[in-house]
Amino acid sequence: MKFISTRGGMAPAPYSAILLEGLATDGGLVVPETVPQLSAADIEALRGLSYPELATEILSHYATDIPREDLAAMCAAAYSAEKFVAEEVVPLTAIDDQITLVGLSEGPTLAFKDMAMQFLGQALEYVLARTDRSLNIIGATSGDTGSAAEYALRGKDGIAVFMLSPQGRMSDFQRAQMYSLTDDNIHNIAVEGVFDDCQNLVKELSGDLDFKRANSLGTVNSINLGRISAQMVYYFWAWLRATDGVAEADRAGFEVSVTVPSGNFGNILSGHLAKVMGLPIRHLVLAANENNVLDEFFRTGIYAPRGSAETYLTSSPSMDISKASNIERFIFDLLGRDPERLSAAWAELDATGRIDLTAELPRLQSEFGFQSGTSTHADRVATIRDVHAARGIIIDPHTSDGVKVAREHVEPGVPMLVLETAKPEKFPEIVLEATGQQLGIPEHLAGLLELPQHVTEMADDAAQLREFIAARAVRA
Ligand SMILES: *Cc1c(COP(=O)(O)O)cnc(C)c1O
């Protein structure tokens, strides 16, 4: 298996090489040269596996340059009982007759980013050790990516983390989780701006090939293909668990729909790839908050990213994104995996601020199975309140956006899975507003908010950032 760029200008590279890169050398995004195909029988054969075994199986289709026993050891370490609270790693919980939550927040930072990041931490350590290299991770986070990366990479030899976050735009809990770390290899930087400003700084430094080489820069944000590949695993897991109760004769091709609370289009892109691999997903339903550029795209065929001034600060902050980097990978597939058409679309975006794909709208919905919807603060509050009243289950605001939109797309006879992307304890204000309940911090994290915090505040200034990183980068 080799990986290529959406823009056609990168020599095909193996998995171990793209783990350290993310962005392709020509400014495009890295994608698999061909997507592996699994038959219904291949998928059925995965049913008896534990989560780490399933991860080994799915990832072995992509990480073909890593020996299988090494991959198995990495998956076992990433998805161990020490890291994930639930014994099955990803538990499924029905909230009514049709909707079931897929629990992706059992890891150390209580959000789904741990699912991919714990694997990536293992994989990076493995690859670096074999090549005598060091790596300085530069990333942008609106909350959960940063903490998941820091918890996956803290204390690792040969790796430092430089994590940019938007000043004043994360919850107290998210800040405490990241800024309280004391490991020497973790550097938190709070930028004056929103998430997209942070992401643009990361793109600018990563795009400066001399600076990047001199400082061994790499990324682990949601464009990292190592993460995208690790996220496919739980779509397979969710389908297998959702169909455990289906009669054996009816399982082959049994369709479920999946709703995904979305921001940077990373999570749902993994679902798209799982579907292309052959997993019977009927609809992939994209749930957006008030920052609904992607809902607009899937309803109209026009992708028109917004600037930071038009990006709202909402009560599901990890979805406050108006320029979804990963959409480039999906549009590559939509345009027949043709780098010339893709490059033309991005030239149109640069020239006009939008890409008009209205001609592809019917295929978006029928061939690719996408549906979408938007949820507002009032929807989030009402949905948290009523899931709690009906089932005694408290969901977080992002998952609530998912449940709200899922309800609008439920079809008779088709189970609807909603990916739970965070634990409610991370967002106590909205839970209080919705249910009147004051959620405490989970017991194993008691005292977190009182710990001293370590963060460097910085203007939205690439020159200052370069200087900061050059002075602190780890070198082999
Ligand atoms: C990151 C995140 C999302 C959005 O996921 P994308 O992969 O960026 O679409 C949704 N909910 C939570 C809690 C997150 O941390």
Side-chain angles (χ1 to χ4, degrees), residues 259-260 262 265 268 284-288 294-295 298 370-373 405:
T259 300
V260 188
S262 292
F265 203 73
I268 199 166
L284 279 165
V285 184
L286 181 141
L294 292 173
D295 176 30
F298 286 104
F370 272 86
Q371 297 181 327
S372 67
V405 173

Side-chain angles (χ1 to χ4, degrees), residues 43-44 46-47 49 54 88 90-94 96-103 233-248 250-259 279-282 413-419:
I43 295 171
E44 192 51 39
L46 304 171
R47 189 169 297 277
L49 303 183
L54 179 68
E88 62 274 53
V90 174
L92 269 63
T93 309
D96 58 35
D97 291 346
Q98 283 178 299
I99 297 183
T100 296
L101 299 179
V102 178
V233 176
Y234 51 71
Y235 284 87
F236 283 88
W237 177 266
W239 183 87
L240 289 161
R241 297 296 75 83
T243 55
D244 277 337
V246 172
E248 266 176 57
D250 300 331
R251 281 178 187 162
F254 186 94
E255 289 189 326
V256 305
S257 290
V258 187
T259 300
L279 192 66
I281 297 176
R282 180 171 169 78
V414 183
M416 175 63 86
L417 307 177
V418 175
L419 302 189

Side-chain angles (χ1 to χ4, degrees), residues 192-436:
E192 282 169 26
V194 296
F195 170 77
D196 291 328
D197 299 320
C198 298
Q199 181 151 278
N200 286 337
L201 284 170
V202 170
K203 278 199 165 174
E204 182 172 341
L205 267 60
S206 306
D208 175 346
L209 296 185
D210 290 336
F211 184 80
K212 185 178 173 184
R213 206 169 301 120
N215 295 286
S216 310
L217 286 194
T219 54
V220 295
N221 57 30
S222 76
I223 60 175
N224 181 292
L225 201 92
R227 287 180 58 193
I228 299 290
S229 60
Q231 287 169 184
M232 287 181 218
V233 176
Y234 51 71
Y235 284 87
F236 283 88
W237 177 266
W239 183 87
L240 289 161
R241 297 296 75 83
T243 55
D244 277 337
V246 172
E248 266 176 57
D250 300 331
R251 281 178 187 162
F254 186 94
E255 289 189 326
V256 305
S257 290
V258 187
T259 300
V260 188
S262 292
N264 218 355
F265 203 73
N267 197 355
I268 199 166
L269 178 79
S270 298
H272 160 69
L273 290 171
K275 180 172 160 65
V276 174
M277 284 175 81
L279 192 66
I281 297 176
R282 180 171 169 78
H283 288 122
L284 279 165
V285 184
L286 181 141
N289 66 15
E290 291 88 334
N291 297 296
N292 59 355
V293 164
L294 292 173
D295 176 30
E296 198 175 273
F297 172 56
F298 286 104
R299 278 186 295 102
T300 65
I302 291 180
Y303 175 57
R306 299 175 196 151
S308 50
E310 303 154 286
T311 302
Y312 308 110
L313 175 56
T314 77
S315 52
S316 47
S318 298
M319 293 157 60
D320 290 350
I321 294 170
S322 297
K323 193 167 99 187
S325 316
N326 275 302
I327 197 79
E328 177 166 339
R329 290 185 166 122
F330 174 71
I331 291 178
F332 180 67
D333 283 357
L334 183 66
L335 297 178
R337 311 194 101 230
D338 178 345
E340 275 175 32
R341 288 183 73 196
L342 190 278
S343 300
W346 253 256
E348 179 189 343
L349 181 62
D350 288 342
T352 68
R354 66 217 293 267
I355 305 174
D356 184 343
L357 292 165
T358 45
E360 310 294 339
L361 189 58
R363 292 176 60 233
L364 266 183
Q365 294 166 352
S366 58
E367 182 181 335
F368 292 92
F370 272 86
Q371 297 181 327
S372 67
T374 290
S375 165
T376 64
H377 178 77
D379 294 325
R380 275 190 281 290
V381 170
T383 308
I384 293 172
R385 179 177 296 140
D386 98 26
V387 170
H388 179 241
R391 297 302 282 248
I393 295 170
I394 298 184
I395 56 176
D396 97 290
H398 308 79
T399 308
S400 175
D401 288 332
V403 171
K404 186 268 179 182
V405 173
R407 284 175 170 166
E408 297 164 352
H409 294 279
V410 163
E411 297 168 288
V414 183
M416 175 63 86
L417 307 177
V418 175
L419 302 189
E420 173 225 63
T421 57
K423 288 285 185 215
E425 286 85 354
K426 294 187 92 163
F427 306 96
E429 294 85 357
I430 190 169
V431 169
L432 180 64
E433 181 181 350
T435 66

